[in-house]
Amino acid sequence: QQQVKQSPQSLIVQKGGISIINCAYENTAFDYFPWYQQFPGKGPALLIAIRPDVSEKKEGRFTISFNKSAKQFSLHIMDSQPGDSATYFCAATPYTGTASKLTFGTGTRLQVTL
Amino acid sequence: DTAVSQTPKYLVTQMGNDKSIKCEQNLGHDTMYWYKQDSKKFLKIMFSYNNKELIINETVPNRFSPKSPDKAHLNLHINSLELGDSAVYFCASSQSYVGTRDPRGVMNTEAFFGQGTRLTVV
């Protein structure tokens, strides 16, 4: 069962445009929602993250919007640049106080064209 | 210095062989993980290991066995390799389990990934 659903699978955006990637989750125990960025041949790296107590978090050109009631969150990349071309993964994990694990979405391959 | 390092980076082997992938982290983290990334880029947790507590994803075949000689190392041993085992395997580490809080109440927020080991079974 896929606990975190991510869309679209791939995305092509022109330089300067806005890239939007959406994720939805089912497990209400999820308490922390990071986004990871992966370049070809590299491991994923944390990009930005949010907790459910806020509806939006912004870091530079990257913004997470979070809708707790709808159990959805999204990544917005403003002024997209060719260097942003990568695969983006949303993830979620519960805060249980004991063992937890990151559950990843299926990934979105972003290509930013000139 | 590389924070999380895996060896080898590439591994090509025949079906039925046994192989190991090594992982080391120099971040002083307590928790390490193994993830499998398939050809469609889907990342799936295989194991979590924290202070001698091993959490096994029940969907992982018992041909896969993690071994942690100490807190800084988590190796992955695979017996009787099959074609379907071909994938990229990522090791990762975090201060504690991502999403939990440390004794000071500070949230553990980031998992650091290695560069991956591309395993091809022929």
Side-chain angles (χ1 to χ4, degrees):
Chain A
Q1 182 183 8
Q2 180 59 41
Q3 293 194 54
V4 180
K5 296 181 180 179
Q6 183 172 346
S7 63
Q9 188 175 4
S10 63
L11 182 61
I12 300 175
V13 173
Q14 280 197 327
K15 180 182 176 183
I18 302 174
S19 304
I20 301 175
I21 305 170
N22 300 301
C23 285
Y25 63 98
E26 299 167 358
N27 188 344
T28 54
F30 285 151
D31 192 56
Y32 175 68
F33 303 88
W35 285 86
Y36 280 77
Q37 180 187 55
Q38 183 181 23
F39 292 105
K42 303 291 186 182
L46 181 67
L47 182 66
I48 186 173
I50 196 169
R51 294 206 61 210
D53 51 349
V54 296
S55 60
E56 186 175 284
K57 183 173 182 180
K58 184 175 181 178
E59 289 184 3
R61 296 184 294 107
F62 300 90
T63 300
I64 301 178
S65 297
F66 187 82
N67 185 330
K68 188 174 181 178
S69 60
K71 292 186 285 194
Q72 295 175 347
F73 58 110
S74 59
L75 176 69
H76 295 235
I77 306 174
M78 311 299 288
D79 187 26
S80 298
Q81 298 297 311
D84 297 330
S85 298
T87 300
Y88 292 81
F89 294 93
C90 62
T93 187
Y95 170 55
T96 64
T98 56
S100 61
K101 60 186 182 185
L102 283 168
T103 299
F104 283 87
T106 49
T108 296
R109 185 169 294 185
L110 171 66
Q111 183 181 353
V112 181
T113 61
L114 293 171
Chain B
D1 283 344
T2 305
V4 181
S5 59
Q6 298 177 228
T7 54
K9 189 170 182 180
Y10 300 97
L11 183 55
V12 181
T13 187
Q14 290 188 327
M15 276 194 307
N17 284 350
D18 302 338
K19 290 293 178 186
S20 292
I21 306 172
K22 295 185 177 181
C23 179
E24 176 182 4
Q25 53 96 2
N26 62 6
L27 298 167
H29 288 165
D30 288 334
T31 304
M32 296 184 73
Y33 314 80
W34 277 107
Y35 281 85
K36 179 180 180 180
Q37 188 173 49
D38 61 23
S39 57
K40 296 183 178 179
K41 294 283 192 181
F42 181 50
L43 268 168
K44 188 174 181 182
I45 184 81
M46 299 177 70
F47 305 100
S48 307
Y49 203 95
N50 175 278
N51 288 328
K52 300 184 181 180
E53 180 186 18
L54 175 64
I55 308 298
I56 299 174
N57 185 315
E58 59 187 25
T59 65
V60 177
N62 57 15
R63 298 181 295 104
F64 291 78
S65 56
K67 286 182 170 51
S68 180
D70 55 57
K71 210 167 68 168
H73 296 83
L74 182 64
N75 304 323
L76 181 65
H77 189 74
I78 314 169
N79 290 325
S80 303
L81 278 155
E82 300 177 356
L83 292 176
D85 297 333
S86 296
V88 181
Y89 292 84
F90 286 99
C91 175
S93 75
S94 61
Q95 183 57 45
S96 183
Y97 288 110
V98 174
T100 62
R101 295 186 187 277
D102 70 12
R104 301 167 298 166
V106 177
M107 194 169 193
N108 299 298
T109 57
E110 183 172 0
F112 293 81
F113 284 79
Q115 288 203 329
T117 296
R118 183 175 292 277
L119 172 65
T120 304
V121 182
V122 297

